[in-house]
Amino acid sequence: MATTKTQVGIVGAGPAGLLLSHLLHLEGVGSVVLESRSRDYVEHRVRAGVLEHGVTELLADCGVGARMRAEGLVHHGIELRFDRTRHRMPLSDLAGGRAITVYGQQEVVKDLIAARLEAGGAVHFGAECTGIDGSSPSSASIAYRTDGRDEVLECDMIAGCDGFHGVTRSAAPPGAIAALEHTHPFAWLGILASVAPSTDELIYCRHERGFAMHSMRSHEVSRLYLQVGPEEDIEQWPDDRIWEELATRFVTDDGWSLASGPVTEKGITAMKSFVVEPMQWGRVFLAGDSAHIVPPTGAKGMNLAVADVRALAAALVSWYRTGDESLLASYSATCLRRVWRAQEFSTYMTTMLHPLPGDDFGAGLALSRLRYAVSSRAAAESLAENYVDLSSL
Ligand code: RFL
Ligand code: PHB
């Protein structure tokens, strides 16, 4: 069995694993990224779209922000829509001038892969990790399979950046970590469509038939979502039905209309809230979706992944430079503080915007929260501060 060595072994080439590898490289720390999928697959996996203010600054500061700055859409507000009425939330006015950037996660991934490969970094695609050994006090190793061969990567530390369905988390010894979770009784049906967005800013819409959302990827590509049942079958949703349902939910009294176009991609995503505590055992550190999942209504998942690896890179660099373990020891607590804030905000947005069949009391509370958010400066500032930037928490 072939064995190679590096300083930090990273499982997963999503935003968390790639950015960690890049940040370590900038500080002279070596790493190898092992990714089970192909480069083409990870570069075209459509997911998140909203980058927090602090995340865009980090990406720009570490040299991978040029295309994001040129092609990303900077948004200074969002719309909350309910009772057939539109309400603009002026995020930047409410949150000290800060803004969000709409830039697809797969574009961030492309930029990071390009930067790693240009710098001679080791990113192995088609390398599926099968075993993690991080419990020994002096060393760690990752077993993986590539091109039909079993290989081993020996390293000082392991970063589990392999997402919710990865293998790292399940390698924890019994009792080392605890999983806390909540499943929401609905899912999101998402589409990508070749049509100019019908809005300049993201629309979060509550309607009695369910939540609807209008986002975008560019001036020519729209991204839209519909709340559907948790067991919904995508086959039951031909494109015409999706556009009809979107138009029904988005309807307003002021004549706003939704433009439709060819659907280029569609899928259903379950809604989950999930946290692992602590995010570390032995020489293994979890980051991003492997450690926590938030429902997408707060637009926090990728932003949390970035914030985790910023903290992890700083802790690892400090340990390599000085032998000081204090930042590694506090890594989990530092991240979990922000993770729980994001969980609370994501739950607030999700319950406020998604009706549950038969829950009239819940509907009363949710509508009151929406009315409060659009009429009270204090409530609006709180929403804006959480939405625009939790990265500095
Ligand atoms: P990823 O992106 O899942 O990457 C994990 C990588 O690990 C690989 N892997 C393995 N590799 C080797 N061996 C194994 N055994 C492996 N097992 C898995 C996988 O192939 C993959 O490449 O996790 P990461 O890096 O932690 O990033 C997290 C984000 O992807 C996620 O939080 C966001 O996409 C969530 N999210 C959103 N986040 C935002 O910040 N803003 C948004 O607007 C937003 N919208 C969304 C979202 C997620 C959505 N879906 C589809 C879940 C909208 C949606 C619909
Ligand atoms: C997206 O553009 O995919 C998106 C934007 C905001 C969200 C969720 C998804 O809250």
Side-chain angles (χ1 to χ4, degrees), residues 83-157:
D83 286 345
R84 303 168 64 101
T85 307
R86 314 200 268 149
H87 304 267
R88 179 168 192 266
M89 305 295 285
L91 296 177
S92 298
D93 294 348
L94 293 161
R98 292 171 293 173
I100 53 158
T101 298
V102 179
Y103 187 63
Q105 175 170 325
Q106 73 277 20
E107 305 305 325
V108 175
V109 164
K110 276 182 208 160
D111 297 341
L112 285 166
I113 290 174
R116 287 312 296 123
L117 297 182
E118 197 177 312
V123 184
H124 298 320
F125 295 98
E128 176 162 18
C129 299
T130 51
I132 303 290
D133 185 357
S135 297
S136 121
S138 53
S139 64
S141 65
I142 305 172
Y144 64 102
R145 202 164 169 76
T146 184
D147 289 333
R149 294 187 313 274
D150 289 317
E151 306 211 352
V152 173
L153 177 66
E154 290 182 348
C155 47
D156 302 321
M157 298 289 179

Side-chain angles (χ1 to χ4, degrees), residues 47-50 188 202 204 213 215 217 223 225 296-299 387:
R47 284 191 170 174
V50 171
W188 275 18
L202 272 52
Y204 290 82
M213 166 155 200
S215 181
R217 288 292 176 270
R223 176 86 167 135
Y225 297 98
T297 333
Y387 191 85

Side-chain angles (χ1 to χ4, degrees), residues 126-278:
E128 176 162 18
C129 299
T130 51
I132 303 290
D133 185 357
S135 297
S136 121
S138 53
S139 64
S141 65
I142 305 172
Y144 64 102
R145 202 164 169 76
T146 184
D147 289 333
R149 294 187 313 274
D150 289 317
E151 306 211 352
V152 173
L153 177 66
E154 290 182 348
C155 47
D156 302 321
M157 298 289 179
I158 295 173
C161 302
D162 46 346
F164 183 68
H165 300 287
V167 294
T168 313
R169 193 177 62 245
S170 54
I177 58 174
L180 308 151
E181 64 188 305
H182 175 73
T183 304
H184 303 268
F186 40 78
W188 275 18
L189 187 161
I191 63 166
L192 208 57
S194 302
V195 58
S198 303
T199 175
D200 293 333
E201 296 180 336
L202 272 52
I203 305 172
Y204 290 82
C205 172
R206 182 185 170 105
H207 185 273
E208 65 253 22
R209 293 177 62 86
F211 169 75
M213 166 155 200
H214 195 327
S215 181
M216 61 201 69
R217 288 292 176 270
S218 68
H219 295 298
E220 297 82 35
V221 176
S222 296
R223 176 86 167 135
L224 296 115
Y225 297 98
L226 279 174
Q227 174 187 354
V228 295
E231 310 294 341
E232 201 80 21
D233 178 3
I234 193 78
E235 297 303 323
Q236 303 303 311
W237 287 89
D239 298 354
D240 287 354
R241 181 178 175 206
I242 294 174
W243 286 116
E244 219 170 279
E245 189 63 31
L246 285 165
T248 303
R249 295 187 191 181
F250 280 125
V251 74
T252 61
D253 285 331
D254 66 3
W256 183 91
S257 72
L258 176 68
S260 59
V263 173
T264 54
E265 190 154 330
K266 62 180 160 183
I268 293 184
T269 309
M271 287 267 170
K272 222 180 319 265
S273 303
F274 173 85
V275 180
V276 162
E277 289 190 335

Side-chain angles (χ1 to χ4, degrees), residues 357-379:
D359 185 9
D360 295 342
F361 192 84
L365 293 179
L367 282 166
S368 173
R369 271 198 216 134
L370 279 165
R371 291 187 195 113
Y372 185 47
V374 301
S375 57
S376 150
R377 174 93 192 175

